[in-house]
Amino acid sequence: MVQKILCVAEKPAIAKAVANHLAGGNVNTRPIHGNQYVKNYEFDFSFGPPWGNCSVTMTSVIGHLNGLEFEPNYRKWGSCAPEHLFDVQVIETVDDEKRALADNITQQARYAKALFIWTDCDREGEHIGAEVRQAALKGNQRLQVKRARFSNTERAHVLQAALNPIDLDERQVNAVAARIELDLRLGASFTRFQTLELQRLGESLADRVISYGSCQFPTLGFVVDRYFRVKNFVPEQFWSIKVMHQRDDIDVSFLWRRYRLFDRMAVTILFERCLTARTAKVSKLQKKPTSKWRPLPLTTVELQKLGSMFLRMNSQQVMKIAEDLYTKGWISYPRTETDQFDKGIDLKKLIEKQVQDQTWGPYAQNLLNGAFRTPRSGRNNDQAHPPIHPVNYVVSTSLSPDERRVYEFVVRRFLGCCSEDAKGESTTIEITYGDEIFHANGLLVLQRNYLEVYTYDRWESSQQLPTFQLNEVFEPTEANMTDGETGPPGYLTEPELISLMDANGIGTDATMAEHIAKIQERMYVEVRSRSGAGRGNATEAAARGTRGGRGSRGSGGGRGGARANGTTSGANGVLEFIPTTLGCALIEGYDNMGLATSLGKPFLRKEMEMKMKEICAGTKARREVVQEVLEGYREVLVTAIRQVNVLRTVSYHHPSDLVISPAHTIADASATI
């Protein structure tokens, strides 16, 4: 008798693609009751020992099947004190809109010998796989359970995954279960506390939910912190010395080694010594080869940052489009921390698929003709997925404009990784003028190499320097003492925010975009295109540090939550984030409570994420981690309840260029949000 295998994917499109690959196109498609998007695909396939030739039903879920919620007695906002939600019973239930999918899995499992799980191979996908297993075991307790390990939907890769199934990683399942419980308890308790207390301040807040999330608030905190560094910045005057010499009709500007000083008298004395010396001497003359390194293989965080910078779309849109390209089989799985290619991947075969393109095809052919170089290896390998790369070629006319931009970026990045570094020659001329050292640098780009295809990087030749001789003495054409003021840093941009979140463990590479979208959706921040007028001089501010700010902060979420909010970068490129009055008030209120660790800082969430990794490593149990994290947040909540008047009365006065009206209290803020 032919055995039956039930296969379940995480998305309908993945189920369809896998079914077609395994069946060779000979598939019988049946609808399921209660959901128009999910289908059952029936076909035959030989899985090899111990299953052999099998009758297969391939179906899917749509993200998580289950949800976690409090017992009915505690679901109403006034049912208990917010701090009691740390301890009350929680129950796992099948979401109402997913009931038909769970029932379909249960029914199909009754006749199956084994269950093959085809969810995405990351931590979240592992937990969704466990939910699928739970639904299947309701129909058949004797079911054998395996999971397919795959990172793209290219046919050969899918076949390989089907023939080499593995077990679910129970540690990752437990880590996500811990995170889901913590997100529920923390989010509900602090949201109820904030909302119920602040609604008392006026009618404008009476029907407003002021939500809290353990990733959401540190993300907002980064934005507020930068805003106050800009707002409270105090410029400082500095002085410098500039030397220029004209030779062969070329004006050569020599930069002062000290760069600048904040003591006018000291600079005046040093400048007068230069003038007294009259002549300068060439003390160093150096020409040497230099290179601009080709980029590392592409990770999710880099895709989001660079997509925001170069593709005129926000990070959430970039990830949505990348997911669609992956589902359609054009690129590999777009959620990965890995920046090194495994030696077993045939990179030249992937390059060969791009030769047919009219734009970058000739460059790909040149790589195959001998210009190919093994990509650089970064430091990260999540042991689950390779770097993001194209797996198949698609004609640009088959893609939407946004899909085309993301696909082109992925392809160009991949081809750039497989190229030679750009080569050039740098020239350094150093002179001694009085007691001071000045220098001039020149660059001549000799071979663009990877820059020919990876057009997002810039490396251009500078003006050619005239000939100087070592120990040559000359009288500079011009010497001046200049002055200026330090400028404030720019408001936080999306690439900068993603970098801060990544460095501080706020969210995962897959959920950062959702957290950024959430603080916009909650109207805690506004976004606008960076104008470039009067801001963005982060280098000058960093040189001296900013004064009067709130101090430096140092350099979760599930799947399928928020939708893209439609905000895109303007013609000038990068978006910048401005906190609303309410967003500032929330962060400042918690900061001013005297908490050991404010909710606006990343440390509590970073510690939580480290504990999730300990569960994955097997060094801590799920319940142990949940209790440890809850105790840390319990102390914060108890203090916040005692200090609630600080949150109510914190006052602000924002400059008028924020679009948001000036406000003095949260109650005032509510009228403008």
Side-chain angles (χ1 to χ4, degrees), residues 174-350:
N174 287 330
V176 175
R179 193 267 304 155
I180 290 173
E181 180 178 349
L182 288 168
D183 283 351
L184 172 66
R185 293 187 185 278
L186 298 176
S189 58
F190 280 97
T191 297
R192 290 189 190 183
F193 160 67
Q194 293 177 169
T195 303
L196 294 174
E197 291 295 340
L198 299 183
Q199 280 180 346
R200 301 176 183 177
L201 295 180
E203 294 182 1
S204 301
L205 285 174
D207 57 353
R208 184 183 181 88
V209 174
I210 304 173
S211 73
Y212 168 84
S214 59
C215 285
Q216 182 186 140
F217 259 53
T219 302
L220 172 61
F222 292 132
V223 177
V224 173
D225 180 66
R226 178 65 67 87
Y227 162 71
F228 275 99
R229 288 175 58 194
V230 175
K231 177 177 179 288
N232 297 328
F233 182 82
V234 178
E236 293 185 82
Q237 192 169 11
F238 62 82
W239 290 264
S240 185
I241 302 173
K242 291 188 177 180
V243 176
M244 189 276 287
H245 186 65
Q246 188 177 71
R247 177 172 292 185
D248 300 335
D249 295 326
I250 299 174
D251 292 340
V252 183
S253 295
F254 290 91
L255 303 178
W256 193 20
R257 176 184 283 182
R258 298 180 192 267
Y259 181 37
R260 64 190 181 193
L261 296 178
F262 293 84
D263 187 329
R264 182 178 184 276
M265 182 59 68
V267 177
T268 301
I269 293 171
L270 296 174
F271 179 58
E272 288 178 348
R273 290 177 180 174
C274 293
L275 296 180
T276 301
R278 295 191 60 184
T279 60
K281 180 180 180 180
V282 179
S283 54
K284 180 180 179 181
L285 184 60
Q286 184 179 59
K287 281 191 176 183
K288 63 179 182 180
T290 187
S291 300
K292 183 171 179 61
W293 288 352
R294 61 197 184 278
L296 286 168
L298 186 61
T299 65
T300 303
V301 170
E302 283 297 298
L303 175 61
Q304 292 177 84
K305 291 195 301 185
L306 297 177
S308 178
M309 291 173 65
F310 299 124
L311 304 183
R312 301 193 304 278
M313 58 184 74
N314 64 37
S315 58
Q316 192 176 36
Q317 288 175 305
V318 171
M319 288 306 300
K320 172 65 170 61
I321 293 166
E323 285 273 4
D324 291 343
L325 292 172
Y326 157 68
T327 300
K328 294 174 181 177
W330 305 130
I331 68 172
S332 62
Y333 189 58
R335 301 178 186 271
T336 177
E337 300 175 9
T338 302
D339 55 7
Q340 50 188 252
F341 281 107
D342 187 271
K343 293 180 180 179
I345 297 179
D346 190 345
L347 299 178
K348 290 186 178 181
K349 184 177 180 181
L350 296 173

Side-chain angles (χ1 to χ4, degrees), residues 15 82 99 160 264 379 391 404-405 559 588 627 640 670:
R99 174 65 62 184
Q160 182 73 9
R264 182 178 184 276
R379 300 179 178 179
V391 296
R404 192 178 307 135
R405 289 204 299 274
R559 179 167 294 158
E588 286 295 283
Q627 290 305 314
S670 65

Side-chain angles (χ1 to χ4, degrees), residues 416-427:
C417 291
C418 299
S419 304
E420 180 65 85
D421 297 338
K423 304 292 185 182
E425 181 182 74
S426 67
T427 302

